[in-house]
Structure formats: C-alpha cells, structure tokens
C-alpha cells in the first residue's frame, strides 16, 4: 500500500472505532469469499476453487487470532485506564497500538444528541448539545 491509497474508515456516531472492528470486517469478508468459492466449486466441480477456499479459511483463522488480541488489548485498557479508554473512544487520541503520527481527532460536528435529536428520554444526562466545536474541524481549519 502506498501513501496515496485510499483507506475506508467506518465512522460511528459518538465513538472512535477501535481497529478490532477492521479485523472483524476482514474476517467476515474473507469468510464470505471462502463461501463464494465453495459455491463456485459446487456449481463447476473445479478443485481450483476449493484449494483457494482452504487458503482463505486459514487466513480467516489468522485474522480471528489478531482480532482476539486486539479485543483483549481494548478490554485491558478499559480495566486498567478507564479515563484513557474514554479519551480514545471519544476520538481525542488514538487507541493503543494504532499509529499516533498524523492522528486527527474524530469529527464530532455531525454527532446527534440522543436526547434532543433522537428523543431518547433516558439520555438526558448525556446531552451533547453544549459541546465545544469539533476538534478535528478546528485542526483542519474548517472553523
């Protein structure tokens, strides 16, 4: 991958995604590819498809191991440093194990307030309407 390659980063309202999510996606995509190749084998009888599907199953296992390691690290952070966990989750700093160089805080300017925008009455104590301007926009010069 070069520095000009585009990378899709999934955004979620209210949280900075941990890289365990990317590993979950990778495992799911590899698993789907393996199933599609097995289907191609059923339709054609060609062993070349089952050979590739077997390789993909091995990759799925490796990705699941990486996913378990990443999840364990996230849970460890939650139990050992809950304040840092919150800063990472809220997108103010990168998750441990993620590259800090070039980190830009998560865009919060389009977050919706669960209480005012979504009518979740139980979220009144979590109202986000009075938050300061988005740090990512501030850094990017969009304010």
């Amino acid at each position: 991958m070069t520095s000009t390659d585009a990378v899709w980063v999934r955004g979620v309202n209210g949280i900075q995604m941990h890289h365990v999510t990317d590993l979950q996606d990778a495992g799911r995509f590899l698993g789907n590819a393996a199933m599609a190749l097995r289907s191609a084998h059923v339709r054609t009888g060609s062993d070349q498809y089952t050979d590739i599907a077997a390789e993909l199953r091995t990759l799925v296992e490796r990705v699941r191991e990486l996913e378990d390691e990443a999840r364990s690290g996230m849970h460890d952070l939650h139990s050992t440093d809950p304040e840092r966990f919150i800063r990472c989750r809220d997108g103010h700093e990168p998750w441990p194990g993620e590259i800090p160089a070039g980190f830009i805080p998560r865009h919060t300017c389009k977050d919706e307030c669960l209480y005012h925008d979504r009518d979740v009455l139980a979220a009144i104590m979590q109202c986000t309407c009075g938050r300061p301007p988005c740090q990512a926009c501030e850094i990017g010069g969009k304010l």
Side-chain angles (χ1 to χ4, degrees), residues 8 12 23 46 48 56 58 73 92 97 104 109 117 130-131 142:
W8 178 69
V12 172
L23 295 169
S46 175
Q48 67 182 346
L56 286 173
T58 300
H92 299 295
I104 296 174
C109 52
D117 298 324
R131 281 191 179 163
K142 294 183 181 182

Side-chain angles (χ1 to χ4, degrees), residues 15 18 32 59 61 64 77-78 80 118 123:
I15 64 171
H18 186 271
N32 288 341
L59 287 175
E61 290 172 15
R64 294 288 184 229
L77 177 64
H78 185 265
T80 60
R118 294 292 179 165

